[in-house]
Amino acid sequence: MNASVAVVTGAASGIGAACARAFAAAGYRVVLADRHLEGAERLAAELGGTAIVVDVAEETSVAAAAHAVVDQLGRVDVLVNSAGVLQRTLPPGQLTMKEWDFVARVDLRGTYLCCAEFGRRMAASGGGAIVNIASVAGMRSGPLHAYGPAKAGVISLSECLAAEWGPVGVRVNTVSPGFTATPALSKGLDTHTLEEEHLRTATVLNRLVKADEIAAAVAFLASPAASAITGINLPVDCGYLVATPWASYGGLRRS
């Protein structure tokens, strides 16, 4: 019997790349889908996987990718929606609708398109697992007036699809990373949009999340070990969500 197939969007770097590595290590045939084909091809060569180009915000591109995967590999067992973009921390009035629409188009529309195309194929074949990457920004207030609502939408979307497809054996879950050490976050640190000390001290564990820690949670939710789990949102955040309310009481006890 052929090994199971895992499709990972945004697989050329960051959390997507870590997820691709985790599924390859678990014996899956991994499809690395990304706008940046060259980066996906390099990692695919290392992992023995397949690279495909896809623009998750474009309906025809996603449909073509889903068709190509099933045509070439015969099945899709797992989908990880990791493709996404960040935004600048601008107030309303400075955050243009062009930028707002771009973030929502990739992060929410893109996740839905991939779920719709790959998920309906899973439903037709009798099962599968989808894990969508959201963010703790979708669970709390912050100066991210496009990114935060888009990620909140991903969490809601996952719950809706879990109920839609659960009866036919397709599980849908969400992982919400905290601040994670990725190339995208490094860019924010380099431009001083973010400060590492602030990010670390806002967590219980006093550190950033590692991309492979996100991948481990994703791989678990996609695995048979999580066969009774669907419709959940799992934060992987080094305790960011439980740490931040303590600021009202003077902060965490670090002693």
Side-chain angles (χ1 to χ4, degrees), residues 63-124:
H67 178 78
V69 170
V70 174
D71 186 55
Q72 294 174 25
L73 299 178
R75 58 195 285 180
V76 179
D77 301 282
V78 171
L79 169 67
V80 179
N81 282 307
S82 183
V85 294
L86 301 176
Q87 68 151 105
R88 295 176 294 168
T89 54
L90 297 174
Q94 295 181 34
L95 178 64
T96 66
M97 285 310 302
K98 181 179 180 180
E99 184 170 349
W100 197 99
D101 286 341
F102 175 67
V103 172
R105 181 176 174 82
V106 174
D107 291 357
L108 180 54
R109 172 188 166 92
T111 298
Y112 174 73
L113 285 175
C114 290
C115 285
E117 286 294 336
F118 287 97
R120 68 181 180 86
R121 288 170 167 82
M122 292 180 185

Side-chain angles (χ1 to χ4, degrees), residues 150-165:
K151 291 301 189 179
V154 169
I155 295 168
S156 177
L157 171 65
S158 301
E159 294 176 350
C160 293
L161 294 179
E164 179 72 42
W165 286 327

Side-chain angles (χ1 to χ4, degrees), residues 116-184:
E117 286 294 336
F118 287 97
R120 68 181 180 86
R121 288 170 167 82
M122 292 180 185
S125 66
I130 297 173
V131 183
N132 294 322
I133 304 299
S135 171
V136 293
M139 303 171 66
R140 292 292 188 272
S141 172
L144 299 169
H145 305 304
Y147 182 81
K151 291 301 189 179
V154 169
I155 295 168
S156 177
L157 171 65
S158 301
E159 294 176 350
C160 293
L161 294 179
E164 179 72 42
W165 286 327
V168 292
V170 179
R171 297 184 299 106
V172 185
N173 291 295
T174 308
V175 169
S176 284
F179 290 102
T180 306
T182 64

